[in-house]
């Protein structure tokens, strides 16, 4: 009811909404989508850090938490959000979260053949697709020209990241299939399942980079599950558009 009234009030419509809850499944029932969802427990320092990022005192491009082109979060905010997730799993040792990288490999080729505006449209539409696939509690960010990062929290089943990757795979594959055949459009996904064994955010990002590189090294590899340490719970998906299948 509070969210409805805020959304209907022109004075409050642009105020960022942060929801803190222990019941993440209820977020999907809210009438208005919040800018940020945090799963309990949340300490004051974590909350202050993230709120200051979505409500910067200086409204400059560098201070904004969003990617200007797509409207999803940027790399800086994603790193802060990931730090919160890692600290949280260290407090609740049974919890897991996953980090997924999606790389639109032929972004530069699209840019060269059809121009910057066409390439921007492809990137924006990919971001829009991701918003329809993922939960409100998942964090989406564009961390480089053609790479999106996704943080999936509250992973109780180790198959969940795989199911998310397959949903991303099917949607993006269908979208890429609409592009011109000569592009040979491709996308790659790498996923790391994370727990309190990671010492830092940098360690996680390095590992996801390695998985993504592995996905890109063999385009025919559809799904690999690695069981050996240190990639104990890594799932890796690589997929092609129908134009190449």
């Amino acid at each position: 009811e509070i969210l409805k009234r805020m959304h209907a009030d022109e004075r409050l419509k642009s105020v960022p909404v942060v929801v803190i809850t222990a019941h993440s499944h209820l977020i999907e029932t809210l009438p208005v989508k919040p800018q940020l969802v945090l799963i309990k427990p949340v300490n004051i320092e974590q909350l202050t850090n993230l709120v200051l990022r979505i409500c910067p005192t200086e409204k400059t491009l560098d201070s904004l938490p969003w990617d200007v082109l797509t409207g999803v979060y940027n790399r800086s905010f994603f790193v802060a959000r990931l730090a919160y997730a890692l600290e949280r799993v260290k407090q609740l040792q049974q919890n897991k979260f996953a980090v997924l990288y999606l790389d639109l490999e032929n972004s530069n080729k699209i840019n060269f053949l059809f121009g910057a505006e066409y390439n921007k449209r492809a990137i924006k539409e990919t971001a829009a697709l991701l918003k329809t696939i993922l939960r409100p509690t998942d964090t989406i960010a564009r961390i480089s020209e053609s790479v999106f990062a996704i943080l999936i929290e509250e992973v109780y089943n180790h198959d969940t990241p795989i199911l998310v990757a397959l949903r991303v795979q099917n949607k993006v594959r269908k979208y890429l299939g609409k592009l011109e055949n000569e592009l040979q459009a491709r996308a790659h996904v790498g996923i790391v399942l994370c727990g309190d064994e990671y010492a830092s955010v940098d360690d996680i990002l390095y590992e996801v980079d390695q998985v993504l590189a592995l996905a890109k090294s063999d385009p025919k590899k559809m799904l690999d599950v690695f069981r050996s340490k240190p990639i104990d719970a890594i799932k890796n998906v690589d997929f092609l558009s129908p134009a190449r299948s």
Side-chain angles (χ1 to χ4, degrees), residues 37-120:
V37 178
L38 298 177
I39 310 299
K40 291 182 179 180
V42 181
N43 65 42
I44 294 299
E45 184 179 354
Q46 292 169 337
L47 179 61
T48 302
N49 181 29
L50 292 171
V51 169
L52 286 176
R53 286 178 177 272
I54 65 170
C55 303
T57 53
E58 297 182 7
K59 302 293 184 179
T60 64
L61 288 179
D62 291 339
S63 67
L64 293 177
W66 297 285
D67 174 58
V68 176
L69 175 63
T70 62
V72 300
Y73 289 115
N74 58 25
R75 183 183 183 91
S76 175
F77 184 86
F78 185 80
V79 169
R81 192 72 177 79
L82 187 55
Y84 159 75
L86 180 58
E87 185 172 338
R88 185 170 178 273
V89 297
K90 288 183 181 297
Q91 295 173 3
L92 308 172
Q93 296 182 354
Q94 293 183 342
N95 278 31
K96 296 280 186 181
F97 63 90
V99 178
L100 181 153
Y101 273 9
L102 169 67
D103 183 9
L104 304 180
E105 187 178 69
N106 283 332
S107 178
N108 289 336
K109 192 172 182 179
I110 294 174
N111 191 75
F112 176 76
L113 291 175
F114 298 100
E117 290 305 313
Y118 189 97
N119 186 46
K120 287 179 181 179

Coordinates of all heavy atoms in Angstrom, one line a residue, residues 37-120:
V37 N 16.7 -4.5 -3.8 CA 16.2 -5.4 -2.8 C 17.4 -6.1 -2.1 O 18.3 -6.6 -2.7 CB 15.4 -6.5 -3.5 CG1 14.9 -7.6 -2.5 CG2 14.2 -6.0 -4.3
L38 N 17.3 -6.0 -0.7 CA 18.3 -6.6 0.1 C 17.7 -7.7 0.9 O 16.6 -7.5 1.5 CB 19.0 -5.6 1.0 CG 19.7 -4.4 0.3 CD1 20.3 -3.4 1.3 CD2 20.9 -5.0 -0.6
I39 N 18.4 -8.8 1.0 CA 17.9 -10.0 1.8 C 18.5 -9.9 3.2 O 19.7 -9.7 3.3 CB 18.2 -11.3 1.1 CG1 17.8 -11.3 -0.4 CG2 17.6 -12.5 1.8 CD1 16.3 -11.1 -0.6
K40 N 17.7 -10.0 4.2 CA 18.2 -10.0 5.6 C 19.2 -11.2 5.8 O 19.1 -12.2 5.2 CB 17.1 -10.1 6.6 CG 16.2 -8.9 6.6 CD 15.1 -9.0 7.7 CE 14.2 -7.8 7.7 NZ 13.1 -7.9 8.8
P41 N 20.2 -11.0 6.7 CA 20.5 -9.8 7.5 C 21.3 -8.8 6.8 O 22.1 -9.1 5.9 CB 21.3 -10.4 8.7 CG 22.1 -11.5 8.1 CD 21.1 -12.1 7.1
V42 N 21.0 -7.5 7.1 CA 21.7 -6.4 6.5 C 22.2 -5.5 7.7 O 21.4 -5.0 8.5 CB 20.8 -5.5 5.6 CG1 21.6 -4.4 5.0 CG2 20.2 -6.4 4.5
N43 N 23.5 -5.2 7.7 CA 24.0 -4.3 8.7 C 24.0 -2.8 8.2 O 23.8 -2.6 7.0 CB 25.4 -4.7 9.3 CG 26.5 -4.5 8.2 OD1 26.5 -3.6 7.4 ND2 27.4 -5.5 8.2
I44 N 24.1 -1.9 9.2 CA 23.9 -0.5 8.8 C 25.0 0.0 7.8 O 24.7 0.7 6.9 CB 24.0 0.4 10.1 CG1 22.8 0.1 11.0 CG2 24.0 1.8 9.8 CD1 21.5 0.4 10.4
E45 N 26.2 -0.5 8.0 CA 27.3 -0.1 7.0 C 27.0 -0.6 5.6 O 27.2 0.2 4.7 CB 28.6 -0.7 7.5 CG 29.8 -0.2 6.7 CD 31.1 -0.8 7.2 OE1 31.1 -1.5 8.2 OE2 32.1 -0.7 6.5
Q46 N 26.5 -1.8 5.5 CA 26.2 -2.3 4.1 C 25.1 -1.5 3.5 O 25.1 -1.1 2.4 CB 25.8 -3.8 4.2 CG 26.9 -4.7 4.6 CD 26.3 -6.1 5.0 OE1 25.1 -6.2 5.3 NE2 27.1 -7.1 4.9
L47 N 24.0 -1.2 4.3 CA 22.9 -0.5 3.9 C 23.2 0.9 3.4 O 22.8 1.4 2.4 CB 21.8 -0.5 4.9 CG 20.5 0.3 4.6 CD1 19.8 -0.3 3.4 CD2 19.6 0.3 5.8
T48 N 24.0 1.6 4.3 CA 24.4 2.9 4.0 C 25.2 3.0 2.7 O 25.0 3.9 1.8 CB 25.3 3.5 5.1 OG1 24.5 3.5 6.3 CG2 25.7 4.9 4.9
N49 N 26.2 2.1 2.5 CA 27.0 2.1 1.3 C 26.2 1.9 0.1 O 26.4 2.7 -0.9 CB 28.0 0.9 1.5 CG 28.9 0.8 0.2 OD1 29.2 1.8 -0.4 ND2 29.4 -0.4 -0.1
L50 N 25.2 1.0 0.1 CA 24.4 0.7 -1.1 C 23.4 1.9 -1.4 O 23.2 2.2 -2.6 CB 23.7 -0.6 -1.0 CG 24.7 -1.8 -1.0 CD1 23.9 -3.1 -0.7 CD2 25.3 -2.0 -2.4
V51 N 22.8 2.4 -0.3 CA 21.9 3.5 -0.5 C 22.6 4.7 -1.1 O 22.1 5.4 -1.9 CB 21.1 3.8 0.8 CG1 20.4 5.1 0.7 CG2 20.2 2.6 1.2
L52 N 23.8 5.0 -0.6 CA 24.5 6.2 -1.1 C 24.9 6.0 -2.5 O 25.0 7.0 -3.3 CB 25.8 6.4 -0.2 CG 25.6 7.0 1.2 CD1 26.9 7.0 1.9 CD2 25.0 8.4 1.1
R53 N 25.0 4.8 -3.0 CA 25.3 4.5 -4.4 C 24.1 4.7 -5.3 O 24.3 5.2 -6.4 CB 25.9 3.1 -4.6 CG 27.4 3.0 -4.0 CD 27.9 1.6 -4.2 NE 29.3 1.5 -3.8 CZ 30.3 1.7 -4.6 NH1 30.1 2.0 -5.8 NH2 31.5 1.6 -4.1
I54 N 22.9 4.4 -4.8 CA 21.8 4.6 -5.7 C 21.2 6.0 -5.5 O 20.4 6.4 -6.3 CB 20.7 3.5 -5.4 CG1 20.1 3.6 -4.0 CG2 21.2 2.1 -5.7 CD1 18.9 2.8 -3.8
C55 N 21.6 6.7 -4.4 CA 21.2 8.1 -4.2 C 22.4 9.0 -4.0 O 22.7 9.5 -2.9 CB 20.3 8.2 -3.0 SG 18.8 7.2 -3.0
P56 N 23.3 9.1 -5.1 CA 24.5 9.9 -4.9 C 24.2 11.4 -4.6 O 23.2 11.9 -5.2 CB 25.2 9.7 -6.2 CG 24.1 9.4 -7.2 CD 23.1 8.6 -6.4
T57 N 25.0 12.0 -3.8 CA 24.8 13.4 -3.5 C 25.1 14.3 -4.8 O 24.6 15.4 -4.9 CB 25.7 13.8 -2.4 OG1 27.1 13.5 -2.6 CG2 25.3 13.2 -1.1
E58 N 26.1 13.8 -5.6 CA 26.4 14.5 -6.8 C 25.9 13.8 -8.0 O 26.3 12.6 -8.2 CB 27.9 14.7 -6.9 CG 28.5 15.6 -5.8 CD 30.0 15.7 -6.0 OE1 30.5 15.3 -7.1 OE2 30.7 16.3 -5.1
K59 N 25.0 14.4 -8.8 CA 24.4 13.7 -9.9 C 25.2 13.8 -11.2 O 24.9 14.4 -12.2 CB 23.0 14.3 -10.2 CG 22.0 14.3 -9.0 CD 21.7 12.8 -8.7 CE 20.6 12.8 -7.5 NZ 20.2 11.4 -7.2
T60 N 26.4 13.2 -11.1 CA 27.3 13.2 -12.3 C 27.2 11.8 -12.9 O 26.8 10.8 -12.2 CB 28.7 13.5 -11.9 OG1 29.2 12.5 -11.0 CG2 28.8 14.9 -11.2
L61 N 27.7 11.6 -14.1 CA 27.6 10.3 -14.8 C 28.5 9.3 -14.0 O 28.2 8.1 -13.9 CB 28.1 10.5 -16.2 CG 27.1 11.1 -17.2 CD1 27.7 11.2 -18.6 CD2 25.8 10.4 -17.3
D62 N 29.6 9.8 -13.5 CA 30.5 8.9 -12.8 C 30.0 8.4 -11.5 O 30.3 7.4 -11.0 CB 31.9 9.6 -12.5 CG 32.7 9.9 -13.8 OD1 32.4 9.1 -14.8 OD2 33.5 10.7 -13.8
S63 N 29.1 9.2 -10.9 CA 28.5 8.8 -9.6 C 27.3 8.0 -9.7 O 26.9 7.3 -8.7 CB 28.2 10.1 -8.8 OG 27.1 10.8 -9.3
L64 N 26.7 8.0 -10.8 CA 25.4 7.2 -11.0 C 25.7 5.7 -10.9 O 26.7 5.2 -11.4 CB 24.7 7.5 -12.3 CG 24.2 8.9 -12.4 CD1 23.6 9.1 -13.8 CD2 23.1 9.2 -11.4
P65 N 24.8 4.9 -10.3 CA 25.0 3.5 -10.2 C 24.5 2.7 -11.4 O 24.7 1.5 -11.6 CB 24.1 3.1 -9.0 CG 23.0 4.1 -9.0 CD 23.6 5.4 -9.5
W66 N 23.9 3.4 -12.4 CA 23.3 2.8 -13.6 C 24.2 3.0 -14.8 O 24.8 4.0 -15.0 CB 21.9 3.3 -13.8 CG 21.0 3.0 -12.7 CD1 20.4 1.8 -12.4 CD2 20.5 3.9 -11.7 NE1 19.6 1.9 -11.3 CE2 19.6 3.2 -10.9 CE3 20.7 5.3 -11.5 CZ2 19.0 3.8 -9.8 CZ3 20.1 5.9 -10.4 CH2 19.2 5.1 -9.6
D67 N 24.1 2.0 -15.7 CA 24.7 2.1 -17.0 C 23.7 3.0 -17.8 O 22.5 2.7 -17.9 CB 24.8 0.8 -17.6 CG 25.2 0.8 -19.1 OD1 26.3 1.4 -19.3 OD2 24.5 0.3 -19.9
V68 N 24.3 4.1 -18.4 CA 23.4 5.1 -19.1 C 22.7 4.5 -20.3 O 21.5 4.8 -20.5 CB 24.3 6.3 -19.5 CG1 23.4 7.3 -20.3 CG2 24.9 7.0 -18.3
L69 N 23.4 3.6 -21.0 CA 22.8 3.1 -22.2 C 21.6 2.1 -21.9 O 20.5 2.2 -22.6 CB 23.8 2.3 -23.0 CG 23.3 1.6 -24.3 CD1 22.8 2.6 -25.3 CD2 24.5 0.8 -24.9
T70 N 21.8 1.2 -21.0 CA 20.8 0.1 -20.8 C 19.9 0.3 -19.6 O 18.8 -0.3 -19.5 CB 21.6 -1.2 -20.6 OG1 22.4 -1.1 -19.4 CG2 22.5 -1.5 -21.8
G71 N 20.3 1.1 -18.6 CA 19.4 1.3 -17.4 C 19.7 0.2 -16.4 O 19.1 0.3 -15.3
V72 N 20.5 -0.8 -16.7 CA 20.9 -1.7 -15.6 C 22.0 -1.1 -14.8 O 22.6 -0.1 -15.2 CB 21.2 -3.1 -16.2 CG1 20.1 -3.7 -16.9 CG2 22.5 -3.0 -17.1
Y73 N 22.5 -1.8 -13.8 CA 23.5 -1.3 -12.9 C 24.9 -1.3 -13.7 O 25.0 -2.0 -14.7 CB 23.7 -2.1 -11.6 CG 22.5 -1.8 -10.7 CD1 21.6 -2.9 -10.3 CD2 22.3 -0.6 -10.1 CE1 20.6 -2.6 -9.5 CE2 21.3 -0.3 -9.2 CZ 20.4 -1.4 -8.9 OH 19.4 -1.1 -8.0
N74 N 25.8 -0.5 -13.2 CA 27.2 -0.5 -13.8 C 28.1 -1.3 -13.0 O 27.7 -1.9 -12.0 CB 27.7 1.0 -13.9 CG 27.7 1.7 -12.6 OD1 27.8 1.1 -11.5 ND2 27.7 3.0 -12.7
R75 N 29.4 -1.4 -13.4 CA 30.3 -2.3 -12.8 C 30.6 -1.9 -11.3 O 30.7 -2.8 -10.5 CB 31.6 -2.3 -13.6 CG 32.7 -3.2 -13.0 CD 34.0 -3.2 -13.8 NE 34.9 -4.2 -13.2 CZ 35.1 -5.4 -13.7 NH1 34.3 -5.8 -14.7 NH2 35.9 -6.2 -13.1
S76 N 30.7 -0.6 -11.1 CA 31.0 -0.1 -9.7 C 30.0 -0.6 -8.7 O 30.3 -1.1 -7.7 CB 31.1 1.4 -9.8 OG 31.3 1.9 -8.5
F77 N 28.7 -0.4 -9.1 CA 27.6 -0.8 -8.2 C 27.6 -2.3 -8.1 O 27.4 -2.9 -7.0 CB 26.3 -0.3 -8.7 CG 25.2 -0.6 -7.7 CD1 24.9 0.2 -6.7 CD2 24.4 -1.8 -7.8 CE1 23.9 -0.1 -5.7 CE2 23.4 -2.1 -6.9 CZ 23.1 -1.2 -5.9
F78 N 27.8 -3.0 -9.2 CA 27.8 -4.5 -9.1 C 28.9 -5.0 -8.1 O 28.6 -6.0 -7.4 CB 28.0 -5.1 -10.5 CG 27.9 -6.6 -10.5 CD1 26.6 -7.2 -10.6 CD2 29.0 -7.4 -10.5 CE1 26.5 -8.6 -10.6 CE2 28.9 -8.8 -10.5 CZ 27.6 -9.4 -10.6
V79 N 30.0 -4.4 -8.2 CA 31.1 -4.9 -7.2 C 30.7 -4.6 -5.8 O 30.9 -5.5 -4.9 CB 32.4 -4.1 -7.6 CG1 33.5 -4.3 -6.5 CG2 33.0 -4.6 -8.9
A80 N 30.1 -3.5 -5.5 CA 29.6 -3.2 -4.2 C 28.5 -4.2 -3.7 O 28.5 -4.7 -2.6 CB 29.1 -1.8 -4.1
R81 N 27.6 -4.5 -4.7 CA 26.5 -5.5 -4.4 C 27.1 -6.9 -4.2 O 26.6 -7.6 -3.3 CB 25.6 -5.5 -5.6 CG 24.3 -6.2 -5.4 CD 23.4 -5.4 -4.5 NE 22.1 -6.0 -4.3 CZ 21.8 -7.0 -3.6 NH1 22.8 -7.5 -2.8 NH2 20.6 -7.6 -3.5
L82 N 28.1 -7.2 -4.9 CA 28.8 -8.5 -4.8 C 29.5 -8.6 -3.4 O 29.4 -9.7 -2.8 CB 29.7 -8.7 -5.9 CG 30.4 -10.1 -6.0 CD1 29.4 -11.2 -6.1 CD2 31.3 -10.2 -7.3
A83 N 30.1 -7.5 -3.0 CA 30.7 -7.5 -1.7 C 29.7 -7.7 -0.6 O 30.0 -8.5 0.4 CB 31.4 -6.2 -1.5
Y84 N 28.5 -7.2 -0.7 CA 27.5 -7.4 0.3 C 27.1 -8.9 0.3 O 26.9 -9.5 1.3 CB 26.3 -6.5 -0.1 CG 25.0 -7.0 0.5 CD1 24.7 -6.8 1.9 CD2 24.0 -7.6 -0.3 CE1 23.5 -7.3 2.4 CE2 22.8 -8.1 0.3 CZ 22.6 -7.9 1.6 OH 21.4 -8.4 2.1
A85 N 26.9 -9.5 -0.9 CA 26.5 -10.9 -1.0 C 27.5 -11.8 -0.4 O 27.2 -12.8 0.3 CB 26.3 -11.3 -2.5
L86 N 28.8 -11.5 -0.6 CA 29.9 -12.3 0.0 C 29.9 -12.2 1.5 O 30.1 -13.2 2.2 CB 31.2 -11.9 -0.6 CG 32.5 -12.6 -0.1 CD1 32.3 -14.1 -0.4 CD2 33.7 -12.1 -0.8
E87 N 29.8 -11.0 2.0 CA 29.8 -10.8 3.5 C 28.6 -11.5 4.1 O 28.7 -12.1 5.2 CB 29.7 -9.3 3.8 CG 29.8 -9.0 5.3 CD 30.0 -7.5 5.6 OE1 30.4 -6.8 4.7 OE2 29.7 -7.1 6.7
R88 N 27.5 -11.5 3.4 CA 26.3 -12.2 3.9 C 26.5 -13.7 4.0 O 26.0 -14.3 5.0 CB 25.1 -11.8 3.0 CG 23.8 -12.3 3.5 CD 22.6 -11.7 2.7 NE 21.4 -12.3 3.1 CZ 20.8 -13.4 2.7 NH1 21.4 -14.1 1.7 NH2 19.7 -13.9 3.1
V89 N 27.1 -14.3 3.0 CA 27.2 -15.8 3.0 C 28.3 -16.2 4.1 O 28.3 -17.3 4.6 CB 27.6 -16.4 1.7 CG1 26.6 -16.2 0.6 CG2 29.0 -15.9 1.2
K90 N 29.2 -15.2 4.4 CA 30.1 -15.5 5.5 C 29.4 -15.5 6.8 O 29.8 -16.2 7.8 CB 31.3 -14.5 5.4 CG 32.2 -14.7 4.3 CD 33.4 -13.8 4.3 CE 34.3 -14.0 3.1 NZ 34.9 -15.3 3.1
Q91 N 28.3 -14.7 6.9 CA 27.5 -14.7 8.2 C 26.6 -15.9 8.2 O 26.4 -16.5 9.3 CB 26.7 -13.4 8.2 CG 27.5 -12.1 8.3 CD 26.6 -10.9 8.2 OE1 25.4 -11.0 8.1 NE2 27.3 -9.8 8.2
L92 N 26.0 -16.3 7.1 CA 25.1 -17.4 7.0 C 25.8 -18.5 6.2 O 25.6 -18.5 5.0 CB 23.8 -17.0 6.4 CG 23.1 -15.7 7.0 CD1 21.9 -15.3 6.1 CD2 22.7 -16.0 8.4
Q93 N 26.5 -19.3 6.8 CA 27.5 -20.2 6.0 C 26.8 -21.2 5.2 O 27.4 -21.8 4.3 CB 28.4 -20.9 7.0 CG 29.3 -19.9 7.8 CD 30.3 -20.6 8.7 OE1 30.2 -21.8 8.9 NE2 31.1 -19.8 9.3
Q94 N 25.5 -21.5 5.4 CA 24.8 -22.4 4.5 C 24.3 -21.8 3.2 O 23.9 -22.5 2.3 CB 23.6 -23.0 5.3 CG 24.0 -23.9 6.5 CD 22.8 -24.5 7.2 OE1 21.7 -24.0 7.0 NE2 23.1 -25.5 8.0
N95 N 24.3 -20.5 3.1 CA 23.8 -19.8 1.9 C 24.8 -19.8 0.8 O 26.1 -19.9 1.0 CB 23.5 -18.4 2.2 CG 22.1 -18.2 2.8 OD1 21.7 -19.1 3.6 ND2 21.4 -17.1 2.6
K96 N 24.3 -19.8 -0.4 CA 25.2 -19.7 -1.6 C 24.6 -18.6 -2.5 O 23.4 -18.2 -2.5 CB 25.2 -21.0 -2.4 CG 25.8 -22.2 -1.7 CD 27.3 -22.2 -1.7 CE 27.9 -23.4 -1.1 NZ 29.3 -23.4 -1.1
F97 N 25.5 -18.1 -3.4 CA 25.0 -17.2 -4.5 C 25.8 -17.5 -5.7 O 26.8 -18.2 -5.7 CB 25.1 -15.7 -4.1 CG 26.6 -15.3 -3.9 CD1 27.3 -14.8 -4.9 CD2 27.1 -15.3 -2.6 CE1 28.6 -14.3 -4.7 CE2 28.4 -14.9 -2.4 CZ 29.2 -14.4 -3.5
A98 N 25.3 -17.1 -6.8 CA 26.0 -17.4 -8.1 C 26.2 -16.1 -8.9 O 25.5 -15.1 -8.7 CB 25.1 -18.3 -9.0
V99 N 27.3 -16.1 -9.6 CA 27.6 -14.9 -10.5 C 27.7 -15.4 -11.9 O 28.4 -16.4 -12.2 CB 29.0 -14.3 -10.1 CG1 29.3 -13.1 -11.0 CG2 28.9 -13.8 -8.7
L100 N 27.0 -14.8 -12.8 CA 26.9 -15.2 -14.2 C 27.4 -14.1 -15.1 O 27.0 -12.9 -14.9 CB 25.4 -15.5 -14.5 CG 25.1 -16.0 -15.9 CD1 23.8 -16.9 -15.8 CD2 24.8 -14.8 -16.9
Y101 N 28.2 -14.4 -16.0 CA 28.7 -13.4 -17.0 C 28.0 -13.8 -18.4 O 28.1 -15.0 -18.8 CB 30.2 -13.5 -17.2 CG 31.0 -12.6 -16.3 CD1 30.4 -11.9 -15.2 CD2 32.3 -12.4 -16.5 CE1 31.1 -11.1 -14.4 CE2 33.1 -11.6 -15.6 CZ 32.5 -11.0 -14.6 OH 33.2 -10.2 -13.7
L102 N 27.5 -12.9 -19.1 CA 27.0 -13.1 -20.4 C 27.8 -12.2 -21.4 O 27.8 -10.9 -21.2 CB 25.5 -12.7 -20.5 CG 24.9 -12.6 -21.9 CD1 24.8 -14.0 -22.6 CD2 23.5 -12.0 -21.8
D103 N 28.4 -12.8 -22.3 CA 29.3 -12.0 -23.3 C 28.7 -12.1 -24.7 O 28.5 -13.2 -25.3 CB 30.7 -12.6 -23.3 CG 31.6 -11.8 -24.2 OD1 31.2 -10.7 -24.7 OD2 32.8 -12.3 -24.4
L104 N 28.3 -10.9 -25.2 CA 27.8 -10.9 -26.6 C 29.1 -10.7 -27.5 O 29.6 -9.6 -27.7 CB 26.9 -9.7 -26.8 CG 25.7 -9.6 -25.9 CD1 24.8 -8.4 -26.2 CD2 24.8 -10.9 -26.1
E105 N 29.6 -11.8 -28.0 CA 30.9 -11.8 -28.6 C 31.1 -11.0 -29.8 O 32.1 -10.3 -30.0 CB 31.3 -13.3 -28.9 CG 32.8 -13.4 -29.3 CD 33.1 -14.9 -29.6 OE1 32.6 -15.4 -30.6 OE2 33.9 -15.4 -28.9
N106 N 30.1 -10.9 -30.6 CA 30.2 -10.2 -31.9 C 29.7 -8.7 -31.9 O 29.4 -8.2 -32.9 CB 29.5 -11.0 -33.0 CG 30.3 -12.2 -33.5 OD1 31.5 -12.2 -33.4 ND2 29.6 -13.2 -33.9
S107 N 29.8 -8.1 -30.7 CA 29.3 -6.7 -30.6 C 30.2 -5.8 -31.5 O 29.6 -4.9 -32.1 CB 29.4 -6.3 -29.1 OG 29.1 -5.0 -29.0
N108 N 31.5 -6.0 -31.5 CA 32.3 -5.2 -32.3 C 32.0 -5.4 -33.8 O 32.1 -4.4 -34.6 CB 33.8 -5.5 -32.1 CG 34.3 -5.0 -30.7 OD1 33.7 -4.1 -30.1 ND2 35.3 -5.6 -30.1
K109 N 31.7 -6.6 -34.2 CA 31.4 -6.9 -35.6 C 30.1 -6.2 -36.0 O 30.0 -5.7 -37.1 CB 31.3 -8.4 -35.8 CG 31.3 -8.8 -37.3 CD 31.4 -10.3 -37.4 CE 31.4 -10.8 -38.8 NZ 31.5 -12.3 -39.0
I110 N 29.1 -6.3 -35.1 CA 27.8 -5.6 -35.4 C 28.1 -4.1 -35.5 O 27.6 -3.4 -36.4 CB 26.8 -5.8 -34.2 CG1 26.4 -7.3 -34.1 CG2 25.6 -5.0 -34.4 CD1 25.6 -7.6 -33.0
N111 N 28.9 -3.5 -34.7 CA 29.3 -2.1 -34.7 C 29.9 -1.8 -36.0 O 29.6 -0.7 -36.7 CB 30.2 -1.8 -33.5 CG 30.4 -0.3 -33.4 OD1 29.5 0.4 -32.9 ND2 31.5 0.2 -33.8
F112 N 30.8 -2.6 -36.5 CA 31.6 -2.3 -37.8 C 30.6 -2.4 -39.0 O 30.7 -1.6 -39.9 CB 32.7 -3.3 -37.9 CG 33.5 -3.2 -39.2 CD1 34.4 -2.2 -39.4 CD2 33.3 -4.1 -40.2 CE1 35.1 -2.0 -40.6 CE2 34.0 -4.0 -41.4 CZ 34.9 -2.9 -41.6
L113 N 29.8 -3.5 -39.0 CA 29.0 -3.7 -40.2 C 27.7 -2.8 -40.3 O 27.3 -2.4 -41.4 CB 28.5 -5.2 -40.2 CG 29.6 -6.2 -40.5 CD1 29.0 -7.6 -40.4 CD2 30.2 -6.0 -41.9
F114 N 27.1 -2.5 -39.1 CA 25.8 -1.8 -39.1 C 25.8 -0.5 -38.4 O 24.8 0.2 -38.4 CB 24.8 -2.7 -38.6 CG 24.6 -4.0 -39.3 CD1 25.1 -5.2 -38.9 CD2 23.8 -4.0 -40.5 CE1 25.0 -6.4 -39.6 CE2 23.7 -5.2 -41.2 CZ 24.2 -6.3 -40.8
G115 N 27.0 -0.2 -37.8 CA 27.0 1.1 -37.1 C 26.8 1.1 -35.6 O 26.2 0.1 -35.1
A116 N 27.2 2.2 -35.0 CA 27.1 2.2 -33.5 C 25.7 2.2 -33.0 O 25.4 1.5 -32.0 CB 27.8 3.5 -33.0
E117 N 24.7 2.8 -33.7 CA 23.4 2.8 -33.2 C 22.7 1.4 -33.2 O 22.0 1.1 -32.3 CB 22.5 3.8 -34.0 CG 22.9 5.3 -33.8 CD 22.8 5.7 -32.4 OE1 21.8 5.3 -31.7 OE2 23.8 6.3 -31.9
Y118 N 23.0 0.7 -34.3 CA 22.5 -0.7 -34.4 C 23.1 -1.6 -33.2 O 22.4 -2.3 -32.6 CB 22.9 -1.3 -35.7 CG 22.2 -2.6 -36.0 CD1 21.1 -2.7 -36.8 CD2 22.8 -3.8 -35.5 CE1 20.5 -3.9 -37.1 CE2 22.2 -5.1 -35.8 CZ 21.0 -5.1 -36.6 OH 20.4 -6.3 -36.8
N119 N 24.4 -1.4 -33.0 CA 25.0 -2.1 -31.9 C 24.5 -1.7 -30.5 O 24.2 -2.6 -29.7 CB 26.5 -1.8 -31.9 CG 27.3 -2.7 -30.9 OD1 27.1 -3.9 -30.8 ND2 28.2 -2.1 -30.2
K120 N 24.2 -0.5 -30.3 CA 23.6 0.0 -29.1 C 22.2 -0.6 -28.9 O 21.9 -1.0 -27.8 CB 23.5 1.5 -29.0 CG 24.9 2.2 -28.8 CD 24.7 3.7 -28.9 CE 26.0 4.4 -28.7 NZ 25.9 5.9 -28.7

